[in-house]
Amino acid sequence: MTMSARITVNGFPIQQQTVMEETQYHPAESLFSAQYYATRALIIRELLLQRAIQLQLWDKKSDENKVIEDLIEAEVKFQTADDDTCYQYYQNNKKRFVTSPLFEVAHILYLAPSDNTLAQKVALQKAEIALEKITQKPDLFGMIAQQESACSSAKDGGRLGQISQGQTAPEFEQELFTMHAGDISKTPILTPFGYHIIKVYERVDGHQLAYEQVADWIKDHLETQNEDRALQQYIKILAGQADIKGFTFERSPSPLVQ
Protein backbone atom coordinates (compact mmCIF):
# COMPACT_ATOMS: atom_id res chain seq x y z
CA MET A 1 0.00 0.00 0.00
CA THR A 2 1.12 3.50 -0.73
CA MET A 3 -0.31 6.59 0.93
CA SER A 4 1.27 10.02 0.88
CA ALA A 5 0.52 13.13 2.93
CA ARG A 6 -1.84 14.52 0.27
CA ILE A 7 -4.47 12.33 -1.33
CA THR A 8 -6.67 13.60 -4.14
CA VAL A 9 -9.40 12.11 -6.31
CA ASN A 10 -9.62 13.98 -9.61
CA GLY A 11 -8.16 16.96 -7.77
CA PHE A 12 -10.51 16.74 -4.78
CA PRO A 13 -8.50 16.33 -1.52
CA ILE A 14 -9.14 13.64 1.07
CA GLN A 15 -8.23 15.39 4.32
CA GLN A 16 -6.10 13.54 6.88
CA GLN A 17 -8.53 14.52 9.64
CA THR A 18 -11.34 12.88 7.69
CA VAL A 19 -9.26 9.72 7.36
CA MET A 20 -8.63 9.66 11.12
CA GLU A 21 -12.34 10.06 11.84
CA GLU A 22 -13.21 7.28 9.38
CA THR A 23 -10.59 4.90 10.79
CA GLN A 24 -12.72 4.02 13.83
CA TYR A 25 -15.19 2.25 11.51
CA HIS A 26 -12.54 -0.07 10.05
CA PRO A 27 -11.10 -2.32 12.78
CA ALA A 28 -8.02 -4.17 11.57
CA GLU A 29 -4.91 -5.97 12.80
CA SER A 30 -2.97 -2.67 12.93
CA LEU A 31 -3.57 1.07 12.84
CA PHE A 32 -1.83 1.23 9.46
CA SER A 33 -4.24 -1.32 7.98
CA ALA A 34 -7.23 0.43 9.54
CA GLN A 35 -6.14 3.73 7.98
CA TYR A 36 -5.70 2.00 4.64
CA TYR A 37 -9.26 0.65 4.68
CA ALA A 38 -10.60 4.00 5.87
CA THR A 39 -8.80 5.87 3.08
CA ARG A 40 -9.97 3.38 0.49
CA ALA A 41 -13.58 3.72 1.67
CA LEU A 42 -13.39 7.53 1.46
CA ILE A 43 -11.89 7.39 -2.03
CA ILE A 44 -14.61 5.00 -3.20
CA ARG A 45 -17.27 7.26 -1.74
CA GLU A 46 -15.77 10.26 -3.51
CA LEU A 47 -15.62 8.37 -6.82
CA LEU A 48 -19.31 7.53 -6.51
CA LEU A 49 -20.34 11.07 -5.60
CA GLN A 50 -18.31 12.54 -8.45
CA ARG A 51 -19.97 10.13 -10.86
CA ALA A 52 -23.36 11.14 -9.46
CA ILE A 53 -22.53 14.79 -10.19
CA GLN A 54 -21.62 13.89 -13.77
CA LEU A 55 -25.03 12.27 -14.17
CA GLN A 56 -26.76 15.20 -12.45
CA LEU A 57 -28.03 12.96 -9.67
CA TRP A 58 -26.66 15.11 -6.86
CA ASP A 59 -26.51 18.63 -5.60
CA LYS A 60 -25.19 19.93 -2.30
CA LYS A 61 -28.65 19.70 -0.70
CA SER A 62 -29.07 16.02 -1.47
CA ASP A 63 -28.51 13.22 1.04
CA GLU A 64 -25.25 11.58 0.02
CA ASN A 65 -26.25 8.04 0.96
CA LYS A 66 -29.47 8.31 -1.03
CA VAL A 67 -27.56 9.71 -3.99
CA ILE A 68 -25.16 6.74 -3.92
CA GLU A 69 -28.10 4.33 -3.76
CA ASP A 70 -29.69 6.06 -6.76
CA LEU A 71 -26.41 5.96 -8.68
CA ILE A 72 -25.93 2.25 -8.08
CA GLU A 73 -29.52 1.55 -9.06
CA ALA A 74 -29.06 3.52 -12.26
CA GLU A 75 -25.67 2.20 -13.35
CA VAL A 76 -25.02 -1.22 -11.79
CA LYS A 77 -26.91 -4.15 -13.22
CA PHE A 78 -27.27 -7.16 -10.96
CA GLN A 79 -27.85 -10.65 -12.25
CA THR A 80 -30.81 -12.40 -10.63
CA ALA A 81 -30.68 -16.07 -9.64
CA ASP A 82 -33.34 -18.14 -11.44
CA ASP A 83 -34.82 -21.38 -10.11
CA ASP A 84 -32.51 -23.60 -12.17
CA THR A 85 -29.41 -21.83 -10.88
CA CYS A 86 -30.61 -22.03 -7.28
CA TYR A 87 -31.47 -25.71 -7.56
CA GLN A 88 -28.09 -26.49 -9.12
CA TYR A 89 -26.39 -24.70 -6.21
CA TYR A 90 -28.41 -26.83 -3.79
CA GLN A 91 -27.41 -30.05 -5.56
CA ASN A 92 -23.73 -29.06 -5.55
CA ASN A 93 -23.73 -28.00 -1.88
CA LYS A 94 -26.07 -30.42 -0.14
CA LYS A 95 -23.76 -30.79 2.85
CA ARG A 96 -24.36 -27.13 3.68
CA PHE A 97 -28.04 -27.85 4.19
CA VAL A 98 -27.93 -30.54 6.84
CA THR A 99 -29.11 -29.69 10.34
CA SER A 100 -26.60 -29.99 13.16
CA PRO A 101 -26.49 -33.17 15.26
CA LEU A 102 -27.92 -32.77 18.77
CA PHE A 103 -26.07 -34.20 21.76
CA GLU A 104 -26.95 -34.92 25.36
CA VAL A 105 -23.49 -34.50 26.84
CA ALA A 106 -21.52 -34.19 30.06
CA HIS A 107 -17.93 -33.25 30.76
CA ILE A 108 -15.33 -32.98 33.48
CA LEU A 109 -13.18 -29.85 33.31
CA TYR A 110 -9.69 -29.51 34.74
CA LEU A 111 -9.08 -25.79 34.60
CA ALA A 112 -5.85 -24.57 32.97
CA PRO A 113 -5.38 -21.09 31.41
CA SER A 114 -3.91 -21.27 27.91
CA ASP A 115 -0.98 -19.03 28.92
CA ASN A 116 0.00 -21.13 31.97
CA THR A 117 2.15 -24.11 30.96
CA LEU A 118 2.54 -25.43 34.51
CA ALA A 119 -1.22 -25.33 35.15
CA GLN A 120 -1.83 -27.18 31.88
CA LYS A 121 0.66 -29.89 32.86
CA VAL A 122 -1.00 -30.38 36.25
CA ALA A 123 -4.49 -30.36 34.72
CA LEU A 124 -3.50 -32.96 32.13
CA GLN A 125 -2.10 -35.27 34.79
CA LYS A 126 -5.31 -35.03 36.82
CA ALA A 127 -7.44 -35.58 33.72
CA GLU A 128 -5.44 -38.65 32.68
CA ILE A 129 -5.77 -40.20 36.14
CA ALA A 130 -9.51 -39.57 36.17
CA LEU A 131 -9.94 -40.91 32.64
CA GLU A 132 -8.11 -44.12 33.54
CA LYS A 133 -10.54 -44.66 36.45
CA ILE A 134 -13.55 -43.91 34.26
CA THR A 135 -12.32 -46.23 31.51
CA GLN A 136 -12.22 -49.07 34.01
CA LYS A 137 -15.51 -48.11 35.68
CA PRO A 138 -17.66 -45.82 33.46
CA ASP A 139 -20.24 -45.40 36.23
CA LEU A 140 -17.71 -43.29 38.14
CA PHE A 141 -18.05 -40.45 35.61
CA GLY A 142 -20.80 -38.56 37.46
CA MET A 143 -19.17 -38.88 40.87
CA ILE A 144 -15.75 -37.74 39.61
CA ALA A 145 -17.40 -34.82 37.83
CA GLN A 146 -19.07 -33.75 41.08
CA GLN A 147 -15.82 -34.01 43.02
CA GLU A 148 -13.25 -32.66 40.55
CA SER A 149 -14.80 -30.68 37.68
CA ALA A 150 -14.11 -26.93 37.68
CA CYS A 151 -17.29 -26.29 35.68
CA SER A 152 -20.57 -25.21 37.30
CA SER A 153 -22.10 -28.33 35.75
CA ALA A 154 -20.24 -30.39 38.38
CA LYS A 155 -23.26 -30.32 40.69
CA ASP A 156 -25.23 -32.14 37.95
CA GLY A 157 -22.57 -34.78 37.39
CA GLY A 158 -21.04 -32.72 34.57
CA ARG A 159 -24.19 -32.69 32.46
CA LEU A 160 -24.39 -29.77 30.04
CA GLY A 161 -27.82 -30.61 28.65
CA GLN A 162 -28.45 -30.55 24.92
CA ILE A 163 -25.58 -29.23 22.79
CA SER A 164 -25.60 -28.43 19.07
CA GLN A 165 -23.13 -26.88 16.65
CA GLY A 166 -21.53 -23.61 17.71
CA GLN A 167 -22.28 -23.88 21.44
CA THR A 168 -18.90 -25.09 22.67
CA ALA A 169 -15.22 -24.36 22.07
CA PRO A 170 -14.06 -25.49 18.59
CA GLU A 171 -11.68 -28.08 20.03
CA PHE A 172 -14.45 -29.52 22.21
CA GLU A 173 -16.88 -29.54 19.29
CA GLN A 174 -14.42 -31.22 16.93
CA GLU A 175 -14.09 -34.18 19.29
CA LEU A 176 -17.79 -34.23 20.18
CA PHE A 177 -18.89 -34.54 16.56
CA THR A 178 -16.88 -37.78 16.21
CA MET A 179 -18.64 -39.38 19.20
CA HIS A 180 -21.79 -41.46 19.58
CA ALA A 181 -24.17 -42.38 22.39
CA GLY A 182 -22.28 -44.04 25.23
CA ASP A 183 -18.85 -42.82 24.11
CA ILE A 184 -16.30 -41.28 26.46
CA SER A 185 -13.42 -39.33 24.95
CA LYS A 186 -10.34 -41.53 24.66
CA THR A 187 -7.97 -38.74 25.71
CA PRO A 188 -8.43 -35.43 27.59
CA ILE A 189 -9.39 -32.64 25.18
CA LEU A 190 -7.53 -29.34 25.46
CA THR A 191 -9.45 -26.09 24.96
CA PRO A 192 -8.62 -22.52 26.06
CA PHE A 193 -10.35 -23.35 29.37
CA GLY A 194 -8.36 -26.46 30.20
CA TYR A 195 -8.66 -30.23 29.74
CA HIS A 196 -12.04 -31.91 29.30
CA ILE A 197 -13.23 -35.49 29.57
CA ILE A 198 -16.39 -35.79 27.48
CA LYS A 199 -19.24 -38.26 27.77
CA VAL A 200 -22.11 -38.53 25.28
CA TYR A 201 -25.40 -39.84 26.62
CA GLU A 202 -27.48 -39.38 23.47
CA ARG A 203 -26.86 -38.29 19.88
CA VAL A 204 -29.51 -37.35 17.33
CA ASP A 205 -27.99 -36.95 13.87
CA GLY A 206 -28.88 -34.03 11.65
CA HIS A 207 -31.10 -34.43 8.61
CA GLN A 208 -31.01 -33.17 5.05
CA LEU A 209 -33.14 -30.08 4.47
CA ALA A 210 -35.35 -30.17 1.39
CA TYR A 211 -34.66 -27.70 -1.40
CA GLU A 212 -37.97 -25.96 -0.75
CA GLN A 213 -36.87 -25.19 2.82
CA VAL A 214 -33.73 -23.37 1.73
CA ALA A 215 -34.61 -22.02 -1.72
CA ASP A 216 -35.21 -18.45 -0.51
CA TRP A 217 -31.91 -18.41 1.38
CA ILE A 218 -30.04 -19.73 -1.66
CA LYS A 219 -31.60 -17.09 -3.92
CA ASP A 220 -30.66 -14.29 -1.50
CA HIS A 221 -27.16 -15.69 -1.09
CA LEU A 222 -26.47 -15.98 -4.82
CA GLU A 223 -27.92 -12.57 -5.62
CA THR A 224 -25.89 -10.96 -2.83
CA GLN A 225 -22.76 -12.52 -4.34
CA ASN A 226 -23.77 -11.22 -7.78
CA GLU A 227 -24.35 -7.74 -6.37
CA ASP A 228 -20.97 -7.72 -4.66
CA ARG A 229 -19.17 -8.77 -7.83
CA ALA A 230 -21.02 -6.18 -9.94
CA LEU A 231 -20.26 -3.40 -7.43
CA GLN A 232 -16.59 -4.36 -7.24
CA GLN A 233 -16.33 -4.29 -11.03
CA TYR A 234 -18.12 -0.94 -11.22
CA ILE A 235 -15.83 0.62 -8.62
CA LYS A 236 -12.78 -0.85 -10.37
CA ILE A 237 -13.86 0.86 -13.59
CA LEU A 238 -14.42 4.22 -11.84
CA ALA A 239 -11.03 3.98 -10.12
CA GLY A 240 -9.32 3.07 -13.39
CA GLN A 241 -10.76 6.14 -15.10
CA ALA A 242 -9.96 8.51 -12.23
CA ASP A 243 -6.83 10.49 -11.40
CA ILE A 244 -6.05 9.29 -7.86
CA LYS A 245 -2.91 10.72 -6.27
CA GLY A 246 -1.28 9.76 -2.98
CA PHE A 247 -2.89 6.33 -2.72
CA THR A 248 -2.46 2.99 -4.47
CA PHE A 249 -5.12 0.28 -4.40
CA GLU A 250 -3.19 -2.85 -3.45
CA ARG A 251 -6.29 -4.96 -2.97
CA SER A 252 -9.62 -5.19 -4.77
CA PRO A 253 -11.72 -2.11 -4.02
CA SER A 254 -14.48 -2.89 -1.56
CA PRO A 255 -18.10 -2.31 -2.54
CA LEU A 256 -18.88 -1.38 1.03
CA VAL A 257 -19.33 2.33 1.48
CA GLN A 258 -19.46 3.59 5.03
Side-chain angles (χ1 to χ4, degrees), residues 147-202:
Q147 295 174 350
E148 300 186 13
S149 180
C151 179
S152 60
S153 64
K155 63 183 184 297
D156 298 316
R159 286 182 177 265
L160 295 171
Q162 291 185 339
I163 298 294
S164 60
Q165 189 172 16
Q167 292 186 287
T168 61
E171 301 87 352
F172 189 105
E173 182 175 291
Q174 183 177 357
E175 177 67 18
L176 179 62
F177 274 50
T178 69
M179 300 172 68
H180 298 86
D183 285 354
I184 295 172
S185 54
K186 292 180 174 60
T187 60
I189 307 304
L190 179 62
T191 76
F193 306 103
Y195 282 94
H196 306 253
I197 300 172
I198 306 171
K199 180 174 182 177
V200 175
Y201 287 95
E202 297 289 343

Side-chain angles (χ1 to χ4, degrees), residues 1 3 32 40-41 51 69 73 81 94-95 102-103 106 114 118 153-155 160 177-178 186-187 193 195-196 241:
M1 173 184 62
M3 288 191 292
F32 186 74
R40 186 177 67 170
R51 178 59 178 165
E69 290 177 7
E73 183 177 353
K94 275 193 170 183
K95 289 183 179 180
L102 188 65
F103 298 87
S114 58
L118 178 59
S153 64
K155 63 183 184 297
L160 295 171
F177 274 50
T178 69
K186 292 180 174 60
T187 60
F193 306 103
Y195 282 94
H196 306 253
Q241 295 172 341

Side-chain angles (χ1 to χ4, degrees), residues 54-115:
Q54 291 177 350
L55 299 178
Q56 299 182 334
L57 296 175
W58 185 51
D59 59 49
K60 294 298 182 181
K61 297 180 181 179
S62 302
D63 177 78
E64 291 185 2
N65 292 329
K66 181 62 167 60
V67 168
I68 290 173
E69 290 177 7
D70 291 344
L71 173 68
I72 291 172
E73 183 177 353
E75 293 227 292
V76 183
K77 304 306 177 185
F78 304 129
Q79 183 179 355
T80 59
D82 58 29
D83 289 340
D84 289 343
T85 301
C86 292
Y87 186 70
Q88 188 62 46
Y89 181 88
Y90 172 79
Q91 291 292 341
N92 292 340
N93 297 274
K94 275 193 170 183
K95 289 183 179 180
R96 295 191 63 177
F97 306 110
V98 176
T99 61
S100 170
L102 188 65
F103 298 87
E104 185 76 26
V105 65
H107 79 140
I108 304 170
L109 170 62
Y110 293 90
L111 201 62
S114 58
D115 59 351

